[in-house]
Amino acid sequence: MTTPAYKRVLLKLSGEALMGDDAYGINRATIERMVADVAEISKLGVELAIVIGGGNIFRGVAPGAQGMDRATADYMGMLATVMNSLALADAMRQAGLTARVMSAIGIEQVVEPYVRPKALQYLEEGKIVVFAAGTGNPFFTTDTAAALRGSEIGAQIVLKATKVDGVYTADPKKDPSATRYQSISFDEAIAKHLQVMDATAFALCRDQKLPIKVFSIVKPGALKSVVMGDDEGTLVHV
């Protein structure tokens, strides 16, 4: 069996990635396909943690949240990530994988609280850890949660899964001549005003010298290619 390029990774999934072609919510076929990709790298011996957003769930209630206090809306978003995490963990269970959901906010009747030593133990045991509820604080995105948790667990890289296969010189949907960066430094990405992650998450990854790989979760086999170190997506590095 070919050896993966990374032993421990943090996968950042957007909530929108779970929607498929639906307007909001969770598309079952989409989540099952993602779980199949996760199973493939888990079988390679890669220790995997996941942070997932809640935009797909929150999108359904967004019109009613207009004018709402920002902190309250953010807490609602955290609960949406818990829902996504439970759905993802259940789909992994049905696929024969062992997953543990750990929440940054206390809802012990539903999922266990995030405790770093316990998360590290789960990873060493080969279990997949899903970090829910972001950082547990309003005003911080799940990108920041991914950077934070990735740093805490000693991940070698943050894999940012999107619907685009990397970072481009311009928006490829608007500019057909846009080209994909194979790799780019943090400083160069900042200088070029490239939106890889939100500013807080990006700064944390840069300070911790934690590389980011941006790739398409929609592309079949892309996750495995990234883990194997192939030329897939865009690597953002120090």
Side-chain angles (χ1 to χ4, degrees), residues 30-54:
T30 298
I31 199 171
E32 288 176 353
R33 179 183 55 75
M34 289 183 183
V35 167
D37 287 344
V38 167
E40 198 170 20
I41 68 168
S42 180
K43 290 175 183 176
L44 295 174
V46 176
E47 295 176 1
L48 176 67
I50 300 173
V51 169
I52 189 166

Side-chain angles (χ1 to χ4, degrees), residues 148-170:
L148 177 62
R149 297 290 182 247
S151 299
E152 287 183 301
I153 66 171
Q156 295 170 283
I157 192 168
V158 171
L159 307 179
K160 183 173 171 61
T162 70
K163 291 186 176 181
V164 182
D165 64 341
V167 179
Y168 280 74
T169 54

Side-chain angles (χ1 to χ4, degrees), residues 179-200:
T179 57
R180 176 177 65 88
Y181 291 102
Q182 182 178 4
S183 67
I184 189 171
S185 70
F186 282 101
D187 291 341
E188 187 179 357
I190 292 171
K192 294 180 181 295
H193 303 288
L194 300 174
Q195 299 299 314
V196 179
M197 279 185 163
D198 74 74
T200 303

Side-chain angles (χ1 to χ4, degrees), residues 49-79:
I50 300 173
V51 169
I52 189 166
N56 59 314
I57 301 294
F58 195 74
R59 181 175 296 189
V61 298
Q66 290 182 4
M68 184 178 290
D69 175 75
R70 168 66 189 275
T72 300
D74 281 357
Y75 279 117
M76 290 174 65
M78 290 179 213
L79 294 175

